[in-house]
Amino acid sequence: MATPEAPLREVLKSISFTQLPLRHIEPFFEAEKITTPRLYIYKRPKPTEKQGLPTYDVECLRLLALLKFANYGFDSVYTNEPDGSPNGKLPYLLLPSGQAVDCDGIMAHLEQSGHKLPESSLSSELAYCTMIKHSLVPAIRYIAWVDSAGFEAIGQNRYLREYPAVIQMALGWFKSNNTAHDIQVRQPEYGAALDSEVVCENAQRTFDSLLVLLGDREYFADTPGLLDAWAFSCLNILIEAPVSSPIRALLLGRSSKYQPLVDYALRLMEKHF
């Protein structure tokens, strides 16, 4: 018995592109072959700007630090397009084999390739990493995307400048609102009144904890590890961010008690980068 789709199917069969087997067309360009792993991260500042941090993205800077701590050989590639990543996000590591490893798989890759970081002597390392993720990372996201001055100097200038003005406005509005909502959902202690003062109070508690833990040591543990990568990335972004904010004033004030944390972050920057 004929089905309603039968006439349409007959018409489609007569069109050349529906014929099987499909004609194989060779690609015009071959994929570039690489010999050194490449870490794809968000773009650095414009050439006319001060060349300090290689990127203002916490996760990208954290992975850069981890690879350097592990003495892993790689090249950095700057982009604002995360489409090549397995999870659609930057950073990701492209291996000479053609395999792309997202940020969640990079630690496993380091271990498999013989570049595993030494076991940390700090038993509470993961707890401190979680503290940073729940306080300093949201603070940086707030400065870059929710605060109006920070959005203009960082969010728009660093991430959206290559888009046409109308698309910049649309993407900026979406990112700003989505970031504010995400911070409030993930950190309910901020409440509905999300502002710079509330974010600063939470960050201050983390500064206090890190200051006590660091003491007069070069690293938080015997050797640089996960916690150092988190602290290094967040502290250096806050130090260099081209915008005024209560958090930066707290960290960088003339009589700030957090000067040892600033010295620590700058020391690691000079030594490893």
Side-chain angles (χ1 to χ4, degrees), residues 16-95:
S16 60
F17 64 74
T18 64
Q19 302 300 314
L20 297 176
L22 295 176
R23 184 162 57 96
H24 176 70
I25 301 176
E26 294 291 337
F28 289 103
F29 304 100
E30 291 186 3
E32 182 183 3
K33 292 181 173 59
I34 61 175
T35 57
T36 303
R38 291 180 176 179
L39 183 69
Y40 286 78
I41 59 177
Y42 279 109
K43 284 186 176 179
R44 65 192 311 152
K46 296 178 182 178
T48 55
E49 297 178 16
K50 177 184 176 182
Q51 297 294 316
L53 291 177
T55 177
Y56 266 28
D57 183 79
V58 174
E59 194 67 9
C60 290
L61 191 57
R62 181 181 78 89
L63 263 298
L64 268 171
L66 279 176
L67 293 180
K68 288 181 177 292
F69 292 163
N71 294 316
Y72 182 85
F74 69 100
D75 295 326
S76 298
V77 179
Y78 300 97
T79 180
N80 278 348
E81 299 298 335
D83 295 339
S85 171
N87 62 2
K89 299 178 181 178
L90 294 176
Y92 72 95
L93 187 68
L94 182 64
L95 305 179

Coordinates of all heavy atoms in Angstrom, one line a residue, residues 16-95:
S16 N 20.1 14.5 -7.9 CA 21.4 13.8 -7.9 C 22.0 13.7 -6.6 O 22.6 12.7 -6.3 CB 22.3 14.6 -8.9 OG 22.5 15.9 -8.4
F17 N 21.8 14.7 -5.7 CA 22.5 14.5 -4.4 C 21.9 13.5 -3.5 O 22.5 13.2 -2.4 CB 22.6 15.9 -3.7 CG 21.3 16.5 -3.2 CD1 20.6 15.9 -2.1 CD2 20.8 17.6 -3.9 CE1 19.4 16.5 -1.7 CE2 19.5 18.1 -3.5 CZ 18.9 17.6 -2.4
T18 N 20.8 12.9 -3.9 CA 20.3 11.8 -3.0 C 20.7 10.5 -3.5 O 20.4 9.5 -2.9 CB 18.7 11.9 -3.0 OG1 18.3 11.6 -4.4 CG2 18.3 13.2 -2.6
Q19 N 21.5 10.4 -4.6 CA 21.9 9.1 -5.1 C 23.0 8.5 -4.2 O 23.9 9.2 -3.7 CB 22.4 9.2 -6.5 CG 21.4 9.8 -7.5 CD 20.1 9.0 -7.6 OE1 20.2 7.7 -7.7 NE2 19.0 9.6 -7.5
L20 N 22.9 7.2 -4.0 CA 23.9 6.5 -3.2 C 24.6 5.5 -4.1 O 24.0 4.9 -5.0 CB 23.2 5.7 -2.0 CG 22.5 6.7 -1.0 CD1 21.8 5.8 0.1 CD2 23.5 7.6 -0.3
P21 N 25.9 5.2 -3.9 CA 26.7 5.8 -2.8 C 27.0 7.3 -3.1 O 27.1 7.7 -4.3 CB 27.9 5.0 -2.7 CG 28.1 4.5 -4.1 CD 26.7 4.3 -4.6
L22 N 27.2 8.1 -2.1 CA 27.5 9.5 -2.2 C 28.9 9.6 -2.8 O 29.8 8.9 -2.6 CB 27.5 10.2 -0.9 CG 26.1 10.3 -0.2 CD1 26.2 11.0 1.1 CD2 25.1 11.1 -1.1
R23 N 29.0 10.6 -3.7 CA 30.3 10.9 -4.3 C 31.3 11.5 -3.3 O 31.0 12.5 -2.6 CB 30.1 11.8 -5.5 CG 31.4 12.1 -6.3 CD 31.1 12.6 -7.7 NE 30.3 13.9 -7.6 CZ 30.8 15.1 -7.6 NH1 32.1 15.2 -7.8 NH2 30.0 16.1 -7.6
H24 N 32.5 10.9 -3.2 CA 33.5 11.4 -2.2 C 34.3 12.5 -2.8 O 34.8 12.4 -3.9 CB 34.4 10.3 -1.8 CG 35.5 10.7 -0.9 ND1 35.3 11.1 0.4 CD2 36.8 10.9 -1.1 CE1 36.4 11.5 1.0 NE2 37.4 11.4 0.1
I25 N 34.3 13.7 -2.1 CA 35.0 14.8 -2.6 C 36.2 15.0 -1.7 O 36.1 15.2 -0.5 CB 34.2 16.1 -2.7 CG1 33.0 15.8 -3.6 CG2 35.0 17.3 -3.1 CD1 32.0 17.0 -3.6
E26 N 37.4 15.0 -2.3 CA 38.6 15.3 -1.5 C 38.6 16.7 -0.9 O 38.2 17.6 -1.6 CB 39.9 15.0 -2.3 CG 40.1 13.6 -2.8 CD 40.4 12.7 -1.6 OE1 40.9 13.2 -0.6 OE2 40.1 11.5 -1.7
P27 N 39.1 16.9 0.3 CA 39.2 18.2 0.9 C 40.2 19.1 0.1 O 41.2 18.5 -0.4 CB 39.6 18.0 2.3 CG 40.3 16.6 2.3 CD 39.5 15.8 1.2
F28 N 39.9 20.3 0.1 CA 40.8 21.3 -0.6 C 42.1 21.4 0.2 O 43.2 21.6 -0.4 CB 40.2 22.6 -0.8 CG 39.1 22.6 -1.8 CD1 37.8 22.6 -1.5 CD2 39.4 22.6 -3.2 CE1 36.8 22.6 -2.4 CE2 38.4 22.6 -4.2 CZ 37.1 22.6 -3.8
F29 N 42.0 21.4 1.5 CA 43.2 21.6 2.4 C 43.3 20.4 3.3 O 42.3 20.0 3.9 CB 43.1 22.9 3.1 CG 42.9 24.1 2.3 CD1 41.6 24.6 2.1 CD2 44.0 24.7 1.6 CE1 41.4 25.8 1.3 CE2 43.8 25.8 0.8 CZ 42.5 26.3 0.6
E30 N 44.5 20.0 3.6 CA 44.8 19.0 4.6 C 44.9 19.6 6.0 O 45.3 20.8 6.1 CB 46.0 18.2 4.3 CG 46.0 17.3 3.1 CD 47.2 16.5 2.9 OE1 48.1 16.6 3.8 OE2 47.3 15.7 1.9
A31 N 44.5 18.9 7.0 CA 44.7 19.4 8.4 C 46.1 19.6 8.7 O 47.0 18.8 8.3 CB 44.1 18.4 9.3
E32 N 46.4 20.7 9.3 CA 47.8 21.0 9.6 C 48.4 20.0 10.6 O 47.8 19.6 11.6 CB 47.9 22.4 10.3 CG 49.3 22.8 10.6 CD 49.3 24.2 11.3 OE1 48.2 24.7 11.6 OE2 50.4 24.7 11.6
K33 N 49.6 19.5 10.3 CA 50.2 18.6 11.1 C 51.1 19.3 12.1 O 51.9 20.2 11.7 CB 51.0 17.6 10.3 CG 50.2 16.6 9.4 CD 51.1 15.7 8.7 CE 50.2 14.6 7.9 NZ 49.3 15.2 7.0
I34 N 51.1 18.9 13.4 CA 51.9 19.6 14.4 C 52.8 18.6 15.1 O 52.4 17.4 15.1 CB 51.0 20.3 15.4 CG1 50.1 19.3 16.2 CG2 50.1 21.4 14.8 CD1 49.3 19.9 17.3
T35 N 53.8 19.0 15.6 CA 54.8 18.1 16.3 C 54.8 18.5 17.8 O 55.3 17.6 18.6 CB 56.2 18.3 15.8 OG1 56.6 19.7 15.8 CG2 56.2 17.8 14.3
T36 N 54.3 19.6 18.2 CA 54.3 20.0 19.6 C 52.8 20.3 20.0 O 52.1 20.9 19.3 CB 55.1 21.3 19.8 OG1 56.4 21.1 19.4 CG2 55.1 21.7 21.3
P37 N 52.4 19.8 21.2 CA 51.0 20.0 21.6 C 50.7 21.5 21.7 O 51.6 22.3 22.0 CB 51.0 19.4 23.0 CG 52.0 18.4 23.0 CD 53.1 18.9 22.1
R38 N 49.5 21.9 21.4 CA 49.1 23.3 21.4 C 47.9 23.5 22.4 O 46.9 22.8 22.3 CB 48.6 23.7 20.0 CG 49.7 23.8 18.9 CD 49.1 24.2 17.6 NE 50.2 24.3 16.6 CZ 50.0 24.7 15.3 NH1 48.7 24.9 14.9 NH2 51.0 24.8 14.5
L39 N 48.1 24.5 23.2 CA 47.1 24.9 24.2 C 46.3 26.1 23.6 O 46.9 27.1 23.4 CB 47.6 25.2 25.5 CG 46.6 25.5 26.6 CD1 45.8 24.3 27.0 CD2 47.3 26.1 27.9
Y40 N 45.1 25.9 23.3 CA 44.2 27.0 22.8 C 43.6 27.7 23.9 O 42.9 27.2 24.7 CB 43.2 26.5 21.8 CG 43.8 26.0 20.5 CD1 44.4 24.8 20.4 CD2 43.6 26.8 19.4 CE1 45.0 24.4 19.2 CE2 44.2 26.4 18.1 CZ 44.8 25.2 18.0 OH 45.4 24.8 16.8
I41 N 43.9 29.1 24.0 CA 43.4 29.9 25.1 C 42.8 31.2 24.5 O 43.1 31.5 23.4 CB 44.5 30.2 26.1 CG1 45.6 30.9 25.4 CG2 44.9 28.9 26.8 CD1 46.7 31.4 26.4
Y42 N 42.0 31.9 25.4 CA 41.5 33.2 24.9 C 42.6 34.2 24.7 O 43.6 34.2 25.3 CB 40.5 33.7 26.0 CG 39.1 33.1 25.9 CD1 38.7 32.2 26.9 CD2 38.3 33.4 24.9 CE1 37.4 31.7 26.8 CE2 37.0 32.9 24.8 CZ 36.6 32.0 25.8 OH 35.3 31.4 25.7
K43 N 42.3 35.1 23.8 CA 43.3 36.0 23.3 C 43.8 36.9 24.3 O 43.2 37.3 25.3 CB 42.7 36.9 22.1 CG 42.6 36.2 20.8 CD 42.2 37.1 19.7 CE 42.1 36.4 18.4 NZ 41.7 37.3 17.3
R44 N 45.1 37.3 24.1 CA 45.8 38.2 25.0 C 45.4 39.7 24.6 O 44.6 39.9 23.6 CB 47.3 38.1 24.9 CG 47.9 38.4 23.5 CD 49.3 37.9 23.4 NE 50.1 38.4 24.5 CZ 51.1 37.7 25.0 NH1 51.5 36.6 24.4 NH2 51.8 38.1 26.0
P45 N 45.8 40.7 25.3 CA 45.5 42.1 25.0 C 45.9 42.5 23.6 O 46.7 41.8 23.0 CB 46.2 42.9 26.0 CG 46.4 42.0 27.2 CD 46.6 40.6 26.5
K46 N 45.4 43.6 23.1 CA 45.9 44.1 21.8 C 47.4 44.4 21.9 O 47.9 44.7 22.9 CB 45.1 45.5 21.5 CG 43.6 45.3 21.3 CD 43.0 46.7 21.1 CE 41.5 46.6 21.0 NZ 40.9 47.9 20.8
P47 N 48.0 44.4 20.7 CA 49.5 44.7 20.7 C 49.8 46.1 21.3 O 50.9 46.2 21.8 CB 49.8 44.6 19.2 CG 48.8 43.7 18.6 CD 47.5 44.0 19.4
T48 N 48.9 47.0 21.2 CA 49.2 48.3 21.7 C 49.0 48.4 23.2 O 49.4 49.4 23.8 CB 48.2 49.3 21.1 OG1 46.8 48.9 21.3 CG2 48.4 49.4 19.6
E49 N 48.4 47.4 23.9 CA 48.3 47.4 25.3 C 49.4 46.8 26.0 O 50.3 46.1 25.4 CB 47.0 46.7 25.7 CG 45.7 47.3 25.1 CD 44.5 46.5 25.4 OE1 44.5 45.6 26.3 OE2 43.4 46.7 24.8
K50 N 49.5 47.0 27.3 CA 50.5 46.4 28.1 C 50.5 44.9 28.0 O 49.5 44.3 28.2 CB 50.4 46.9 29.6 CG 51.4 46.3 30.5 CD 51.1 46.7 31.9 CE 52.0 46.0 32.9 NZ 51.7 46.3 34.3
Q51 N 51.6 44.3 27.7 CA 51.7 42.9 27.6 C 52.1 42.3 28.9 O 53.3 42.2 29.3 CB 52.7 42.5 26.5 CG 52.4 43.0 25.1 CD 51.1 42.3 24.6 OE1 51.0 41.1 24.7 NE2 50.3 43.1 24.0
G52 N 51.1 41.9 29.7 CA 51.4 41.3 31.0 C 50.9 39.8 31.0 O 51.6 39.0 30.5
L53 N 49.8 39.6 31.5 CA 49.2 38.2 31.5 C 48.9 37.8 30.1 O 48.5 38.5 29.3 CB 47.9 38.2 32.3 CG 48.1 38.4 33.8 CD1 46.7 38.4 34.5 CD2 49.0 37.3 34.5
P54 N 49.2 36.5 29.8 CA 48.9 36.0 28.5 C 47.4 35.9 28.2 O 47.0 35.9 27.0 CB 49.5 34.6 28.5 CG 49.6 34.2 29.9 CD 49.9 35.5 30.6
T55 N 46.5 35.9 29.2 CA 45.1 35.8 29.0 C 44.4 36.3 30.3 O 45.0 36.2 31.4 CB 44.6 34.4 28.7 OG1 43.2 34.4 28.6 CG2 45.1 33.4 29.8
Y56 N 43.2 36.8 30.2 CA 42.5 37.2 31.4 C 41.4 36.2 31.8 O 40.6 36.5 32.7 CB 41.8 38.5 31.1 CG 42.5 39.8 31.5 CD1 43.9 39.7 31.6 CD2 41.9 40.9 31.9 CE1 44.7 40.8 31.9 CE2 42.6 42.1 32.3 CZ 44.0 42.0 32.3 OH 44.7 43.1 32.6
D57 N 41.4 35.0 31.2 CA 40.5 34.0 31.6 C 41.1 33.1 32.6 O 42.2 32.6 32.5 CB 40.1 33.1 30.3 CG 39.1 32.1 30.6 OD1 37.9 32.4 30.7 OD2 39.5 30.9 30.8
V58 N 40.3 32.9 33.7 CA 40.9 32.1 34.9 C 41.2 30.7 34.5 O 42.3 30.2 34.8 CB 39.9 32.1 36.0 CG1 40.3 31.2 37.2 CG2 39.6 33.5 36.6
E59 N 40.3 30.0 33.8 CA 40.6 28.6 33.5 C 41.8 28.5 32.5 O 42.6 27.6 32.6 CB 39.3 28.0 32.9 CG 39.3 26.5 32.8 CD 39.4 25.8 34.1 OE1 39.2 26.5 35.2 OE2 39.6 24.6 34.2
C60 N 41.9 29.4 31.5 CA 43.0 29.3 30.6 C 44.3 29.6 31.3 O 45.3 28.9 31.1 CB 42.8 30.4 29.5 SG 41.4 30.0 28.3
L61 N 44.3 30.6 32.2 CA 45.6 30.9 32.9 C 45.9 29.8 33.9 O 47.1 29.5 34.0 CB 45.4 32.3 33.6 CG 46.7 32.9 34.2 CD1 47.7 33.1 33.1 CD2 46.3 34.2 34.9
R62 N 44.9 29.2 34.5 CA 45.2 28.1 35.4 C 45.8 26.9 34.7 O 46.8 26.3 35.2 CB 43.9 27.7 36.1 CG 44.0 26.6 37.1 CD 42.7 26.2 37.7 NE 41.9 25.3 36.8 CZ 42.0 24.0 36.7 NH1 42.8 23.4 37.5 NH2 41.2 23.3 35.9
L63 N 45.3 26.6 33.5 CA 45.8 25.4 32.8 C 47.2 25.8 32.2 O 48.1 24.9 32.2 CB 44.9 25.1 31.6 CG 43.9 23.9 31.9 CD1 44.7 22.6 32.2 CD2 43.0 24.2 33.0
L64 N 47.5 27.0 31.8 CA 48.8 27.4 31.4 C 49.8 27.2 32.6 O 50.9 26.7 32.4 CB 48.8 28.9 31.1 CG 48.6 29.3 29.6 CD1 48.4 30.8 29.5 CD2 49.8 28.8 28.7
A65 N 49.4 27.6 33.8 CA 50.3 27.4 35.0 C 50.5 26.0 35.3 O 51.7 25.6 35.5 CB 49.6 28.1 36.2
L66 N 49.5 25.2 35.2 CA 49.7 23.7 35.5 C 50.6 23.1 34.5 O 51.5 22.3 35.0 CB 48.3 23.0 35.5 CG 47.4 23.1 36.7 CD1 46.1 22.5 36.4 CD2 48.1 22.5 37.9
L67 N 50.5 23.4 33.3 CA 51.4 22.8 32.3 C 52.9 23.2 32.5 O 53.8 22.5 32.3 CB 51.0 23.1 30.9 CG 49.6 22.6 30.4 CD1 49.3 23.0 29.0 CD2 49.6 21.0 30.5
K68 N 53.0 24.5 32.9 CA 54.4 25.0 33.2 C 54.9 24.4 34.5 O 56.1 24.0 34.6 CB 54.4 26.5 33.2 CG 54.2 27.2 31.9 CD 54.2 28.7 32.0 CE 54.1 29.3 30.6 NZ 55.3 29.0 29.7
F69 N 54.1 24.2 35.5 CA 54.5 23.6 36.7 C 55.0 22.1 36.4 O 55.9 21.6 37.1 CB 53.4 23.5 37.8 CG 53.0 24.9 38.3 CD1 51.8 25.1 38.9 CD2 53.8 26.0 38.1 CE1 51.4 26.3 39.4 CE2 53.4 27.2 38.6 CZ 52.2 27.4 39.3
A70 N 54.3 21.5 35.5 CA 54.6 20.1 35.2 C 55.8 19.9 34.2 O 56.1 18.8 33.8 CB 53.4 19.4 34.6
N71 N 56.4 21.1 33.7 CA 57.4 21.1 32.7 C 57.0 20.3 31.5 O 57.8 19.6 30.9 CB 58.7 20.4 33.3 CG 59.3 21.2 34.4 OD1 59.4 22.4 34.4 ND2 59.7 20.5 35.5
Y72 N 55.8 20.6 31.0 CA 55.2 20.0 29.8 C 55.5 21.0 28.7 O 55.1 22.1 28.7 CB 53.7 19.8 30.1 CG 53.0 19.1 28.9 CD1 53.0 17.8 28.8 CD2 52.3 19.9 28.0 CE1 52.3 17.1 27.8 CE2 51.6 19.3 26.9 CZ 51.6 17.9 26.8 OH 51.0 17.3 25.8
G73 N 56.1 20.4 27.6 CA 56.3 21.3 26.4 C 55.1 21.5 25.6 O 54.4 20.5 25.2
F74 N 54.8 22.7 25.3 CA 53.6 23.0 24.5 C 53.8 24.4 23.9 O 54.6 25.2 24.3 CB 52.3 22.9 25.3 CG 52.2 24.0 26.4 CD1 51.5 25.2 26.1 CD2 52.9 23.9 27.6 CE1 51.4 26.2 27.1 CE2 52.8 24.9 28.5 CZ 52.1 26.0 28.3
D75 N 52.9 24.7 22.9 CA 52.8 26.1 22.3 C 51.4 26.6 22.7 O 50.5 25.9 22.8 CB 53.0 26.0 20.8 CG 54.4 25.6 20.4 OD1 55.3 25.9 21.1 OD2 54.5 24.9 19.3
S76 N 51.4 27.9 22.9 CA 50.1 28.6 23.1 C 49.5 29.2 21.9 O 50.3 29.8 21.1 CB 50.3 29.7 24.2 OG 50.7 29.2 25.4
V77 N 48.3 29.0 21.6 CA 47.6 29.5 20.5 C 46.4 30.4 21.0 O 45.6 29.9 21.8 CB 47.0 28.4 19.5 CG1 46.3 29.1 18.4 CG2 48.2 27.6 19.0
Y78 N 46.3 31.6 20.6 CA 45.3 32.6 21.1 C 44.2 32.7 20.1 O 44.3 32.9 18.9 CB 46.0 34.0 21.3 CG 47.1 33.9 22.3 CD1 48.4 33.8 21.9 CD2 46.9 33.9 23.7 CE1 49.5 33.8 22.8 CE2 47.9 33.9 24.6 CZ 49.2 33.8 24.1 OH 50.2 33.7 25.0
T79 N 43.0 32.5 20.7 CA 41.8 32.5 19.9 C 40.6 32.9 20.7 O 40.6 32.9 21.9 CB 41.5 31.1 19.3 OG1 40.3 31.1 18.5 CG2 41.4 30.1 20.4
N80 N 39.5 33.3 20.1 CA 38.2 33.5 20.7 C 37.2 32.5 20.2 O 36.0 32.7 20.5 CB 37.7 35.0 20.5 CG 38.4 36.0 21.5 OD1 39.0 35.6 22.4 ND2 38.2 37.2 21.2
E81 N 37.6 31.5 19.5 CA 36.7 30.5 18.9 C 36.9 29.2 19.6 O 38.0 28.6 19.3 CB 36.9 30.5 17.4 CG 36.7 31.8 16.7 CD 35.2 32.2 16.8 OE1 34.3 31.4 17.0 OE2 35.0 33.4 16.6
P82 N 36.0 28.7 20.4 CA 36.2 27.4 21.1 C 35.7 26.2 20.3 O 35.6 25.1 20.9 CB 35.4 27.7 22.4 CG 34.3 28.5 22.0 CD 34.8 29.5 20.9
D83 N 35.3 26.4 19.1 CA 34.6 25.3 18.3 C 35.4 24.1 18.2 O 34.9 23.0 18.1 CB 34.2 25.8 16.9 CG 33.2 27.0 17.0 OD1 32.5 27.1 18.0 OD2 33.1 27.7 16.0
G84 N 36.8 24.1 18.2 CA 37.6 22.9 18.1 C 37.6 22.1 19.4 O 38.2 21.0 19.3
S85 N 37.1 22.6 20.5 CA 37.2 21.9 21.7 C 36.2 20.8 21.8 O 35.1 21.0 21.3 CB 37.0 22.9 22.9 OG 36.9 22.2 24.1
P86 N 36.5 19.7 22.5 CA 35.5 18.6 22.6 C 34.3 19.1 23.4 O 33.2 18.5 23.1 CB 36.3 17.6 23.4 CG 37.7 17.8 23.2 CD 37.8 19.3 23.0
N87 N 34.4 20.0 24.3 CA 33.2 20.5 25.1 C 32.8 21.9 24.7 O 31.9 22.5 25.3 CB 33.5 20.4 26.6 CG 34.6 21.3 27.0 OD1 35.2 22.1 26.2 ND2 35.0 21.3 28.3
G88 N 33.3 22.4 23.6 CA 32.9 23.7 23.1 C 33.4 24.9 23.9 O 32.8 26.0 23.9
K89 N 34.4 24.6 24.8 CA 34.9 25.7 25.7 C 36.4 25.7 25.6 O 37.1 24.7 25.3 CB 34.5 25.4 27.1 CG 33.0 25.4 27.4 CD 32.7 25.0 28.8 CE 31.2 24.9 29.1 NZ 30.9 24.6 30.5
L90 N 37.0 26.9 25.8 CA 38.4 27.1 26.0 C 38.7 27.0 27.5 O 37.9 27.4 28.3 CB 38.8 28.4 25.4 CG 38.7 28.6 23.9 CD1 39.1 30.1 23.5 CD2 39.5 27.6 23.1
P91 N 39.9 26.5 27.8 CA 41.0 26.1 26.9 C 40.8 24.6 26.5 O 40.1 23.9 27.1 CB 42.2 26.2 27.8 CG 41.7 25.9 29.2 CD 40.3 26.4 29.2
Y92 N 41.6 24.2 25.5 CA 41.8 22.8 25.2 C 43.1 22.6 24.6 O 43.8 23.5 24.1 CB 40.7 22.3 24.2 CG 40.8 22.8 22.8 CD1 41.4 22.0 21.8 CD2 40.2 24.0 22.4 CE1 41.5 22.5 20.5 CE2 40.3 24.5 21.1 CZ 40.9 23.7 20.2 OH 41.0 24.1 18.9
L93 N 43.6 21.3 24.7 CA 44.9 20.9 24.3 C 44.8 20.1 23.0 O 44.1 19.0 23.1 CB 45.6 20.2 25.4 CG 47.1 19.8 25.2 CD1 48.0 21.1 25.2 CD2 47.6 18.9 26.3
L94 N 45.5 20.5 22.0 CA 45.5 19.7 20.7 C 46.8 18.9 20.7 O 47.9 19.6 20.7 CB 45.4 20.6 19.5 CG 45.3 19.9 18.1 CD1 44.1 19.0 18.0 CD2 45.3 20.9 17.0
L95 N 46.7 17.6 20.6 CA 47.9 16.8 20.5 C 48.4 16.5 19.1 O 47.6 16.6 18.2 CB 47.7 15.5 21.3 CG 47.1 15.5 22.7 CD1 46.8 14.2 23.2 CD2 48.1 16.3 23.6

